PDB file of all heavy atoms in Angstrom:
ATOM      1  N   TYR A 145     117.826  78.290  91.758  1.00  0.00           N
ATOM      2  CA  TYR A 145     119.155  78.902  92.259  1.00  0.00           C
ATOM      3  C   TYR A 145     120.294  77.933  92.411  1.00  0.00           C
ATOM      4  O   TYR A 145     121.435  78.319  92.389  1.00  0.00           O
ATOM      5  CB  TYR A 145     119.004  79.795  93.466  1.00  0.00           C
ATOM      6  CG  TYR A 145     117.720  80.688  93.360  1.00  0.00           C
ATOM      7  CD1 TYR A 145     116.947  80.843  94.535  1.00  0.00           C
ATOM      8  CD2 TYR A 145     117.321  81.332  92.254  1.00  0.00           C
ATOM      9  CE1 TYR A 145     115.807  81.611  94.496  1.00  0.00           C
ATOM     10  CE2 TYR A 145     116.174  82.100  92.183  1.00  0.00           C
ATOM     11  CZ  TYR A 145     115.406  82.203  93.328  1.00  0.00           C
ATOM     12  OH  TYR A 145     114.232  82.966  93.243  1.00  0.00           O
ATOM     13  N   GLY A 146     119.995  76.657  92.685  1.00  0.00           N
ATOM     14  CA  GLY A 146     121.068  75.677  92.679  1.00  0.00           C
ATOM     15  C   GLY A 146     122.082  75.703  93.796  1.00  0.00           C
ATOM     16  O   GLY A 146     123.197  75.276  93.650  1.00  0.00           O
ATOM     17  N   VAL A 147     121.657  76.196  95.053  1.00  0.00           N
ATOM     18  CA  VAL A 147     122.532  76.288  96.136  1.00  0.00           C
ATOM     19  C   VAL A 147     123.057  74.973  96.532  1.00  0.00           C
ATOM     20  O   VAL A 147     122.295  74.073  96.955  1.00  0.00           O
ATOM     21  CB  VAL A 147     121.854  76.972  97.304  1.00  0.00           C
ATOM     22  CG1 VAL A 147     122.773  76.985  98.527  1.00  0.00           C
ATOM     23  CG2 VAL A 147     121.430  78.404  96.924  1.00  0.00           C
ATOM     24  N   GLY A 148     124.366  74.725  96.484  1.00  0.00           N
ATOM     25  CA  GLY A 148     124.968  73.499  97.035  1.00  0.00           C
ATOM     26  C   GLY A 148     124.754  72.203  96.191  1.00  0.00           C
ATOM     27  O   GLY A 148     125.143  71.146  96.604  1.00  0.00           O
ATOM     28  N   ILE A 149     124.164  72.354  94.989  1.00  0.00           N
ATOM     29  CA  ILE A 149     123.776  71.114  94.327  1.00  0.00           C
ATOM     30  C   ILE A 149     125.087  70.497  93.796  1.00  0.00           C
ATOM     31  O   ILE A 149     125.162  69.261  93.594  1.00  0.00           O
ATOM     32  CB  ILE A 149     122.801  71.431  93.198  1.00  0.00           C
ATOM     33  CG1 ILE A 149     121.402  71.668  93.799  1.00  0.00           C
ATOM     34  CG2 ILE A 149     122.621  70.309  92.160  1.00  0.00           C
ATOM     35  CD1 ILE A 149     120.300  72.043  92.843  1.00  0.00           C
ATOM     36  N   ASP A 150     126.144  71.273  93.559  1.00  0.00           N
ATOM     37  CA  ASP A 150     127.407  70.715  93.082  1.00  0.00           C
ATOM     38  C   ASP A 150     127.949  69.705  94.083  1.00  0.00           C
ATOM     39  O   ASP A 150     128.664  68.768  93.758  1.00  0.00           O
ATOM     40  CB  ASP A 150     128.418  71.817  92.835  1.00  0.00           C
ATOM     41  CG  ASP A 150     128.680  72.652  93.994  1.00  0.00           C
ATOM     42  OD1 ASP A 150     127.712  73.241  94.618  1.00  0.00           O
ATOM     43  OD2 ASP A 150     129.817  72.788  94.535  1.00  0.00           O
ATOM     44  N   GLY A 151     127.520  69.846  95.403  1.00  0.00           N
ATOM     45  CA  GLY A 151     127.959  68.868  96.456  1.00  0.00           C
ATOM     46  C   GLY A 151     127.068  67.653  96.529  1.00  0.00           C
ATOM     47  O   GLY A 151     127.389  66.772  97.370  1.00  0.00           O
ATOM     48  N   LEU A 153     126.016  65.858  93.728  1.00  0.00           N
ATOM     49  CA  LEU A 153     126.058  65.144  92.506  1.00  0.00           C
ATOM     50  C   LEU A 153     126.171  63.604  92.625  1.00  0.00           C
ATOM     51  O   LEU A 153     125.839  62.803  91.712  1.00  0.00           O
ATOM     52  CB  LEU A 153     127.208  65.673  91.558  1.00  0.00           C
ATOM     53  CG  LEU A 153     126.898  67.205  91.167  1.00  0.00           C
ATOM     54  CD1 LEU A 153     128.101  67.612  90.319  1.00  0.00           C
ATOM     55  CD2 LEU A 153     125.609  67.318  90.310  1.00  0.00           C
ATOM     56  N   VAL A 167     119.105  78.393  87.130  1.00  0.00           N
ATOM     57  CA  VAL A 167     120.415  78.767  87.668  1.00  0.00           C
ATOM     58  C   VAL A 167     120.779  80.175  87.196  1.00  0.00           C
ATOM     59  O   VAL A 167     121.104  80.380  86.013  1.00  0.00           O
ATOM     60  CB  VAL A 167     121.540  77.781  87.280  1.00  0.00           C
ATOM     61  CG1 VAL A 167     122.845  78.162  87.845  1.00  0.00           C
ATOM     62  CG2 VAL A 167     121.213  76.322  87.785  1.00  0.00           C
ATOM     63  N   ASP A 171     124.911  84.331  90.444  1.00  0.00           N
ATOM     64  CA  ASP A 171     124.484  84.074  91.778  1.00  0.00           C
ATOM     65  C   ASP A 171     125.793  84.167  92.780  1.00  0.00           C
ATOM     66  O   ASP A 171     126.677  83.346  92.592  1.00  0.00           O
ATOM     67  CB  ASP A 171     123.923  82.614  91.810  1.00  0.00           C
ATOM     68  CG  ASP A 171     123.160  82.330  93.156  1.00  0.00           C
ATOM     69  OD1 ASP A 171     123.598  82.842  94.229  1.00  0.00           O
ATOM     70  OD2 ASP A 171     122.197  81.543  93.132  1.00  0.00           O
ATOM     71  N   PHE A 173     125.831  83.251  95.767  1.00  0.00           N
ATOM     72  CA  PHE A 173     125.982  82.038  96.583  1.00  0.00           C
ATOM     73  C   PHE A 173     126.354  80.831  95.886  1.00  0.00           C
ATOM     74  O   PHE A 173     126.598  79.791  96.449  1.00  0.00           O
ATOM     75  CB  PHE A 173     124.625  81.888  97.274  1.00  0.00           C
ATOM     76  CG  PHE A 173     124.247  82.921  98.239  1.00  0.00           C
ATOM     77  CD1 PHE A 173     123.047  83.635  98.089  1.00  0.00           C
ATOM     78  CD2 PHE A 173     124.981  83.058  99.396  1.00  0.00           C
ATOM     79  CE1 PHE A 173     122.699  84.614  99.025  1.00  0.00           C
ATOM     80  CE2 PHE A 173     124.594  84.046 100.356  1.00  0.00           C
ATOM     81  CZ  PHE A 173     123.574  84.784 100.147  1.00  0.00           C
ATOM     82  N   VAL A 174     126.351  80.805  94.490  1.00  0.00           N
ATOM     83  CA  VAL A 174     126.762  79.706  93.670  1.00  0.00           C
ATOM     84  C   VAL A 174     127.789  80.116  92.641  1.00  0.00           C
ATOM     85  O   VAL A 174     127.393  80.729  91.662  1.00  0.00           O
ATOM     86  CB  VAL A 174     125.513  79.080  93.036  1.00  0.00           C
ATOM     87  CG1 VAL A 174     125.930  77.772  92.255  1.00  0.00           C
ATOM     88  CG2 VAL A 174     124.380  78.771  94.032  1.00  0.00           C
ATOM     89  N   ASP A 175     129.017  79.972  92.944  1.00  0.00           N
ATOM     90  CA  ASP A 175     130.073  80.504  92.017  1.00  0.00           C
ATOM     91  C   ASP A 175     130.190  79.794  90.687  1.00  0.00           C
ATOM     92  O   ASP A 175     129.528  78.740  90.451  1.00  0.00           O
ATOM     93  CB  ASP A 175     131.396  80.618  92.738  1.00  0.00           C
ATOM     94  CG  ASP A 175     131.936  79.256  93.144  1.00  0.00           C
ATOM     95  OD1 ASP A 175     131.679  78.227  92.404  1.00  0.00           O
ATOM     96  OD2 ASP A 175     132.756  79.223  94.082  1.00  0.00           O
ATOM     97  N   LYS A 176     131.026  80.294  89.771  1.00  0.00           N
ATOM     98  CA  LYS A 176     131.127  79.756  88.502  1.00  0.00           C
ATOM     99  C   LYS A 176     131.664  78.312  88.503  1.00  0.00           C
ATOM    100  O   LYS A 176     131.150  77.506  87.652  1.00  0.00           O
ATOM    101  CB  LYS A 176     132.086  80.649  87.639  1.00  0.00           C
ATOM    102  CG  LYS A 176     131.548  82.068  87.361  1.00  0.00           C
ATOM    103  CD  LYS A 176     130.287  82.190  86.629  1.00  0.00           C
ATOM    104  CE  LYS A 176     129.954  83.558  86.286  1.00  0.00           C
ATOM    105  NZ  LYS A 176     128.740  83.742  85.488  1.00  0.00           N
ATOM    106  N   ASP A 177     132.491  78.012  89.465  1.00  0.00           N
ATOM    107  CA  ASP A 177     133.004  76.577  89.516  1.00  0.00           C
ATOM    108  C   ASP A 177     131.866  75.663  89.928  1.00  0.00           C
ATOM    109  O   ASP A 177     131.790  74.585  89.308  1.00  0.00           O
ATOM    110  CB  ASP A 177     134.178  76.582  90.487  1.00  0.00           C
ATOM    111  CG  ASP A 177     135.482  77.160  90.019  1.00  0.00           C
ATOM    112  OD1 ASP A 177     135.521  77.396  88.759  1.00  0.00           O
ATOM    113  OD2 ASP A 177     136.365  77.453  90.850  1.00  0.00           O
ATOM    114  N   ALA A 178     130.990  76.117  90.856  1.00  0.00           N
ATOM    115  CA  ALA A 178     129.910  75.328  91.253  1.00  0.00           C
ATOM    116  C   ALA A 178     128.868  75.073  90.059  1.00  0.00           C
ATOM    117  O   ALA A 178     128.406  73.983  89.894  1.00  0.00           O
ATOM    118  CB  ALA A 178     129.204  75.919  92.440  1.00  0.00           C
ATOM    119  N   GLN A 179     128.681  76.161  89.354  1.00  0.00           N
ATOM    120  CA  GLN A 179     127.825  76.112  88.115  1.00  0.00           C
ATOM    121  C   GLN A 179     128.375  75.157  87.140  1.00  0.00           C
ATOM    122  O   GLN A 179     127.668  74.368  86.575  1.00  0.00           O
ATOM    123  CB  GLN A 179     127.513  77.442  87.621  1.00  0.00           C
ATOM    124  CG  GLN A 179     126.721  78.387  88.595  1.00  0.00           C
ATOM    125  CD  GLN A 179     126.567  79.751  87.973  1.00  0.00           C
ATOM    126  OE1 GLN A 179     126.344  79.928  86.787  1.00  0.00           O
ATOM    127  NE2 GLN A 179     126.674  80.816  88.795  1.00  0.00           N
ATOM    128  N   ALA A 180     129.663  75.259  86.934  1.00  0.00           N
ATOM    129  CA  ALA A 180     130.306  74.385  85.888  1.00  0.00           C
ATOM    130  C   ALA A 180     130.145  72.890  86.366  1.00  0.00           C
ATOM    131  O   ALA A 180     130.054  72.055  85.510  1.00  0.00           O
ATOM    132  CB  ALA A 180     131.760  74.809  85.710  1.00  0.00           C
ATOM    133  N   ALA A 181     130.418  72.750  87.612  1.00  0.00           N
ATOM    134  CA  ALA A 181     130.370  71.296  88.154  1.00  0.00           C
ATOM    135  C   ALA A 181     128.854  70.814  87.957  1.00  0.00           C
ATOM    136  O   ALA A 181     128.689  69.549  87.607  1.00  0.00           O
ATOM    137  CB  ALA A 181     130.668  71.254  89.604  1.00  0.00           C
ATOM    138  N   MET A 182     127.845  71.603  88.222  1.00  0.00           N
ATOM    139  CA  MET A 182     126.509  71.163  87.988  1.00  0.00           C
ATOM    140  C   MET A 182     126.282  70.721  86.594  1.00  0.00           C
ATOM    141  O   MET A 182     125.703  69.715  86.288  1.00  0.00           O
ATOM    142  CB  MET A 182     125.537  72.322  88.390  1.00  0.00           C
ATOM    143  CG  MET A 182     125.420  72.516  89.876  1.00  0.00           C
ATOM    144  SD  MET A 182     124.443  74.051  90.213  1.00  0.00           S
ATOM    145  CE  MET A 182     122.881  73.601  89.485  1.00  0.00           C
ATOM    146  N   HIS A 183     126.755  71.643  85.643  1.00  0.00           N
ATOM    147  CA  HIS A 183     126.477  71.279  84.196  1.00  0.00           C
ATOM    148  C   HIS A 183     127.254  69.985  83.780  1.00  0.00           C
ATOM    149  O   HIS A 183     126.775  69.117  83.096  1.00  0.00           O
ATOM    150  CB  HIS A 183     126.911  72.454  83.340  1.00  0.00           C
ATOM    151  CG  HIS A 183     125.869  73.433  83.204  1.00  0.00           C
ATOM    152  ND1 HIS A 183     124.761  73.317  82.424  1.00  0.00           N
ATOM    153  CD2 HIS A 183     125.821  74.729  83.746  1.00  0.00           C
ATOM    154  CE1 HIS A 183     123.993  74.428  82.563  1.00  0.00           C
ATOM    155  NE2 HIS A 183     124.643  75.277  83.278  1.00  0.00           N
ATOM    156  N   ALA A 184     128.519  69.898  84.271  1.00  0.00           N
ATOM    157  CA  ALA A 184     129.358  68.696  83.963  1.00  0.00           C
ATOM    158  C   ALA A 184     128.692  67.474  84.413  1.00  0.00           C
ATOM    159  O   ALA A 184     128.749  66.348  83.837  1.00  0.00           O
ATOM    160  CB  ALA A 184     130.709  68.896  84.501  1.00  0.00           C
ATOM    161  N   GLY A 185     128.086  67.551  85.656  1.00  0.00           N
ATOM    162  CA  GLY A 185     127.549  66.343  86.287  1.00  0.00           C
ATOM    163  C   GLY A 185     126.146  65.984  85.812  1.00  0.00           C
ATOM    164  O   GLY A 185     125.614  64.822  85.903  1.00  0.00           O
ATOM    165  N   LEU A 186     125.375  67.059  85.302  1.00  0.00           N
ATOM    166  CA  LEU A 186     123.940  66.907  85.018  1.00  0.00           C
ATOM    167  C   LEU A 186     123.459  67.031  83.656  1.00  0.00           C
ATOM    168  O   LEU A 186     122.404  66.572  83.304  1.00  0.00           O
ATOM    169  CB  LEU A 186     123.141  67.748  85.974  1.00  0.00           C
ATOM    170  CG  LEU A 186     123.320  67.485  87.491  1.00  0.00           C
ATOM    171  CD1 LEU A 186     122.606  68.626  88.307  1.00  0.00           C
ATOM    172  CD2 LEU A 186     122.700  66.145  87.865  1.00  0.00           C
ATOM    173  N   ILE A 194     118.599  71.864  82.851  1.00  0.00           N
ATOM    174  CA  ILE A 194     119.043  73.084  83.519  1.00  0.00           C
ATOM    175  C   ILE A 194     118.924  74.327  82.564  1.00  0.00           C
ATOM    176  O   ILE A 194     119.353  74.220  81.427  1.00  0.00           O
ATOM    177  CB  ILE A 194     120.558  72.963  83.929  1.00  0.00           C
ATOM    178  CG1 ILE A 194     120.746  71.792  84.796  1.00  0.00           C
ATOM    179  CG2 ILE A 194     121.031  74.268  84.599  1.00  0.00           C
ATOM    180  CD1 ILE A 194     122.224  71.415  85.246  1.00  0.00           C
ATOM    181  N   ASP A 196     119.923  78.392  82.370  1.00  0.00           N
ATOM    182  CA  ASP A 196     120.825  79.438  82.924  1.00  0.00           C
ATOM    183  C   ASP A 196     120.160  80.771  82.587  1.00  0.00           C
ATOM    184  O   ASP A 196     119.514  80.932  81.559  1.00  0.00           O
ATOM    185  CB  ASP A 196     122.206  79.407  82.380  1.00  0.00           C
ATOM    186  CG  ASP A 196     122.906  78.011  82.641  1.00  0.00           C
ATOM    187  OD1 ASP A 196     123.056  77.697  83.828  1.00  0.00           O
ATOM    188  OD2 ASP A 196     123.346  77.417  81.673  1.00  0.00           O
TER     189      ASP A 196
END
Side-chain angles (χ1 to χ4, degrees):
Y145 320 137
V147 177
I149 290 178
D150 58 304
L153 296 175
V167 179
D171 193 327
F173 291 118
V174 185
D175 64 26
K176 297 294 186 181
D177 288 343
Q179 294 177 40
M182 289 172 59
H183 278 288
L186 296 172
I194 301 176
D196 299 306

